[in-house]
Amino acid sequence: MIDKRVTSVAEAVADIFDGATVMVGGFGEAGSPIELIHALVDQGAADLTVVNNNTGSGEVGLAALIKAGRVSKMICSYPRTANSTVFPELYRSGRTALDLVPQGTLAERIRAGGAGIPAFYTATSVGTPLEEGKEVRTIEGRDYVLEYGLTADFALIKCLRADYHGNLVFNKTARNFAPVMATASKTTIVQTMEVVTPGELDPESIVTPGIFVDRIVTVDNPALESELVARGVSYPCRSGCRGTRWLQELPSIFPTGPM
Amino acid sequence: MAARAALDIPDGSYVNLGIGIPEKVAAYVPEGREVIYHTENGLLGMGPAPMEGTGDPELINAGKRRVTAVPGASFFHHADSFVMIRGGHIDLCVLGALQVAQNGDLANWSTGAPDAIPAVGGAMDLVAGVNTIYVITQHTTRTGEPKLVESCTYPLTSRGVVDRIYTDLAVIDVTDEGFQVVELSPGVEFEYVEERTAGELLPIPDALREVK
């Protein structure tokens, strides 16, 4: 019997340990597993190395995890998105380290890590400051830098629909890094808007096969990062409300409940 | 500049447009040409922005703005998206620049300022992998410094990759001999452009002038 469902986001992230490497899906807010990240804020694991394309925005989602001081190192390609204010402050004060990786190299390092390929050569970054300290090899007259595969202890990703074997389909450009992160992590934790019975997803349309997925938790009405940021919301909220019903505890901001 | 660059995009091209002015190129592609736009966050067949207040927050471009998907569009994950880029499957990329050197070196991701947060995104992958690289940029900085230079002083994005530059003053090819003017903007004299260019600037060849 294979059933990867867990009952809560708290249970889903309960075993993430201090010092873990955590890949977090999402490109900006598209595909960002906000509820899993907030559960990780509450869970308390620290000294994390986080892999994501960006560094979050406002004070929710990934930015909330960074603001809580849980992230000692970010591996990302673009930590300078609009409304990204938390990371720059911690970076400048030396409290969060940055490993800057070109976006395609980041994607391929994760893909390679998941595919059991320890390293590869790429022309990306040759002749630039990001080449420094890396092996360069000339292959058929062109220079390439050596890049290493990247793996993680955990991946936190978001999908549109899952069956309880862990087969996943995504929503539009929310797919981004999630499928490769699922392959590269020892434990892949998925928040989905809907869980269906195996057989209900068209096998031809499954993007991530269940073999790459370990836990599934349903978050049927996920928060939208840009709306939270526009309303100036923090996680946990300024009066301390947290958990899965934190938005309902913000009546002045959400008079009719969450979006 | 965007309108001028759009004239040079061939029918049937797969094109990646950088953030900012390059994004505007799509609006000017001449009628009758079919061009498919790629955005590196996982969409081939990107359409224009949706009406204000509509669209899907999870259907965005590389600049994280909401876009649409045209009929025939496809979604894919990041590794596949950069297979398209790194593997040479994207025909053309239009990017902004901080500096372009006369040998085609491009600097467009960092001024190297000590307190800046370094951020590179997909720029290095695009210029290393895409076959043809067009740059759209003002000819000089806001303080009048040349952006077309003998060699870049800002950190490089890649070496020797720029093919053509569209500025407010001219259309310029990067050649083995230096910056080759192929077209001057209306009312602009060669000498005016030359004074605002730090590298070797070559006037429009007579052969090209006669064709015009």
mmCIF file of all heavy atoms in Angstrom, chain A residues 16-33:
data_model
loop_
_atom_site.group_PDB
_atom_site.id
_atom_site.type_symbol
_atom_site.label_atom_id
_atom_site.label_comp_id
_atom_site.label_asym_id
_atom_site.label_seq_id
_atom_site.Cartn_x
_atom_site.Cartn_y
_atom_site.Cartn_z
ATOM 1 N N ILE A 16 12.831 17.960 9.487
ATOM 2 C CA ILE A 16 13.903 18.785 8.904
ATOM 3 C C ILE A 16 14.822 19.228 10.045
ATOM 4 O O ILE A 16 14.375 19.774 11.050
ATOM 5 C CB ILE A 16 13.326 19.994 8.125
ATOM 6 C CG1 ILE A 16 12.488 19.471 6.941
ATOM 7 C CG2 ILE A 16 14.453 20.909 7.646
ATOM 8 C CD1 ILE A 16 11.878 20.554 6.057
ATOM 9 N N PHE A 17 16.099 18.945 9.887
ATOM 10 C CA PHE A 17 17.041 19.087 11.011
ATOM 11 C C PHE A 17 17.959 20.303 10.837
ATOM 12 O O PHE A 17 18.118 20.818 9.714
ATOM 13 C CB PHE A 17 17.879 17.809 11.163
ATOM 14 C CG PHE A 17 18.505 17.327 9.877
ATOM 15 C CD1 PHE A 17 19.740 17.814 9.451
ATOM 16 C CD2 PHE A 17 17.856 16.369 9.077
ATOM 17 C CE1 PHE A 17 20.308 17.367 8.263
ATOM 18 C CE2 PHE A 17 18.422 15.922 7.893
ATOM 19 C CZ PHE A 17 19.652 16.420 7.482
ATOM 20 N N ASP A 18 18.535 20.743 11.938
ATOM 21 C CA ASP A 18 19.496 21.853 11.891
ATOM 22 C C ASP A 18 20.635 21.491 10.935
ATOM 23 O O ASP A 18 21.147 20.373 10.975
ATOM 24 C CB ASP A 18 20.100 22.109 13.283
ATOM 25 C CG ASP A 18 19.098 22.732 14.241
ATOM 26 O OD1 ASP A 18 17.960 23.027 13.817
ATOM 27 O OD2 ASP A 18 19.464 22.907 15.426
ATOM 28 N N GLY A 19 21.025 22.449 10.096
ATOM 29 C CA GLY A 19 22.140 22.218 9.178
ATOM 30 C C GLY A 19 21.741 21.540 7.878
ATOM 31 O O GLY A 19 22.602 21.272 7.033
ATOM 32 N N ALA A 20 20.459 21.266 7.693
ATOM 33 C CA ALA A 20 20.006 20.585 6.471
ATOM 34 C C ALA A 20 20.125 21.495 5.253
ATOM 35 O O ALA A 20 20.074 22.720 5.370
ATOM 36 C CB ALA A 20 18.553 20.133 6.637
ATOM 37 N N THR A 21 20.271 20.865 4.089
ATOM 38 C CA THR A 21 20.145 21.589 2.827
ATOM 39 C C THR A 21 18.730 21.365 2.316
ATOM 40 O O THR A 21 18.277 20.223 2.208
ATOM 41 C CB THR A 21 21.181 21.076 1.800
ATOM 42 O OG1 THR A 21 22.483 21.374 2.293
ATOM 43 C CG2 THR A 21 20.998 21.752 0.443
ATOM 44 N N VAL A 22 18.050 22.479 2.027
ATOM 45 C CA VAL A 22 16.643 22.412 1.628
ATOM 46 C C VAL A 22 16.468 23.116 0.290
ATOM 47 O O VAL A 22 16.762 24.316 0.167
ATOM 48 C CB VAL A 22 15.729 23.079 2.692
ATOM 49 C CG1 VAL A 22 14.256 22.939 2.287
ATOM 50 C CG2 VAL A 22 15.964 22.484 4.073
ATOM 51 N N MET A 23 16.005 22.377 -0.704
ATOM 52 C CA MET A 23 15.653 23.014 -1.976
ATOM 53 C C MET A 23 14.209 23.483 -1.883
ATOM 54 O O MET A 23 13.342 22.735 -1.431
ATOM 55 C CB MET A 23 15.795 22.016 -3.124
ATOM 56 C CG MET A 23 17.246 21.647 -3.406
ATOM 57 S SD MET A 23 17.388 20.443 -4.740
ATOM 58 C CE MET A 23 19.191 20.437 -4.938
ATOM 59 N N VAL A 24 13.963 24.710 -2.300
ATOM 60 C CA VAL A 24 12.614 25.275 -2.230
ATOM 61 C C VAL A 24 12.191 25.666 -3.648
ATOM 62 O O VAL A 24 12.845 26.487 -4.294
ATOM 63 C CB VAL A 24 12.567 26.506 -1.297
ATOM 64 C CG1 VAL A 24 11.171 27.114 -1.286
ATOM 65 C CG2 VAL A 24 12.989 26.114 0.119
ATOM 66 N N GLY A 25 11.124 25.063 -4.128
ATOM 67 C CA GLY A 25 10.637 25.359 -5.474
ATOM 68 C C GLY A 25 10.111 26.775 -5.580
ATOM 69 O O GLY A 25 9.878 27.460 -4.585
ATOM 70 N N GLY A 26 9.907 27.204 -6.814
ATOM 71 C CA GLY A 26 9.344 28.528 -7.036
ATOM 72 C C GLY A 26 10.296 29.441 -7.776
ATOM 73 O O GLY A 26 11.519 29.339 -7.647
ATOM 74 N N PHE A 27 9.692 30.311 -8.571
ATOM 75 C CA PHE A 27 10.405 31.371 -9.294
ATOM 76 C C PHE A 27 9.602 32.618 -8.983
ATOM 77 O O PHE A 27 8.482 32.766 -9.472
ATOM 78 C CB PHE A 27 10.409 31.051 -10.787
ATOM 79 C CG PHE A 27 11.147 32.049 -11.637
ATOM 80 C CD1 PHE A 27 12.493 31.873 -11.915
ATOM 81 C CD2 PHE A 27 10.502 33.155 -12.171
ATOM 82 C CE1 PHE A 27 13.174 32.778 -12.709
ATOM 83 C CE2 PHE A 27 11.176 34.065 -12.963
ATOM 84 C CZ PHE A 27 12.521 33.872 -13.237
ATOM 85 N N GLY A 28 10.150 33.492 -8.106
ATOM 86 C CA GLY A 28 9.271 34.504 -7.552
ATOM 87 C C GLY A 28 8.158 33.790 -6.816
ATOM 88 O O GLY A 28 8.377 32.754 -6.173
ATOM 89 N N GLU A 29 6.938 34.282 -6.950
ATOM 90 C CA GLU A 29 5.832 33.638 -6.228
ATOM 91 C C GLU A 29 5.270 32.430 -6.965
ATOM 92 O O GLU A 29 4.524 31.639 -6.370
ATOM 93 C CB GLU A 29 4.720 34.637 -5.929
ATOM 94 C CG GLU A 29 3.900 35.040 -7.136
ATOM 95 C CD GLU A 29 2.704 35.908 -6.746
ATOM 96 O OE1 GLU A 29 2.124 35.671 -5.680
ATOM 97 O OE2 GLU A 29 2.386 36.830 -7.508
ATOM 98 N N ALA A 30 5.594 32.279 -8.251
ATOM 99 C CA ALA A 30 5.034 31.155 -9.014
ATOM 100 C C ALA A 30 5.645 29.847 -8.526
ATOM 101 O O ALA A 30 6.837 29.612 -8.687
ATOM 102 C CB ALA A 30 5.299 31.352 -10.505
ATOM 103 N N GLY A 31 4.823 29.012 -7.909
ATOM 104 C CA GLY A 31 5.297 27.721 -7.421
ATOM 105 C C GLY A 31 5.892 27.756 -6.033
ATOM 106 O O GLY A 31 6.403 26.745 -5.541
ATOM 107 N N SER A 32 5.833 28.911 -5.362
ATOM 108 C CA SER A 32 6.422 29.000 -4.029
ATOM 109 C C SER A 32 5.529 28.276 -3.008
ATOM 110 O O SER A 32 4.358 28.603 -2.866
ATOM 111 C CB SER A 32 6.575 30.473 -3.637
ATOM 112 O OG SER A 32 7.153 30.552 -2.352
ATOM 113 N N PRO A 33 6.082 27.294 -2.290
ATOM 114 C CA PRO A 33 5.278 26.522 -1.323
ATOM 115 C C PRO A 33 5.170 27.255 0.006
ATOM 116 O O PRO A 33 5.757 26.847 1.020
ATOM 117 C CB PRO A 33 6.069 25.222 -1.204
ATOM 118 C CG PRO A 33 7.496 25.641 -1.402
ATOM 119 C CD PRO A 33 7.470 26.805 -2.362
#
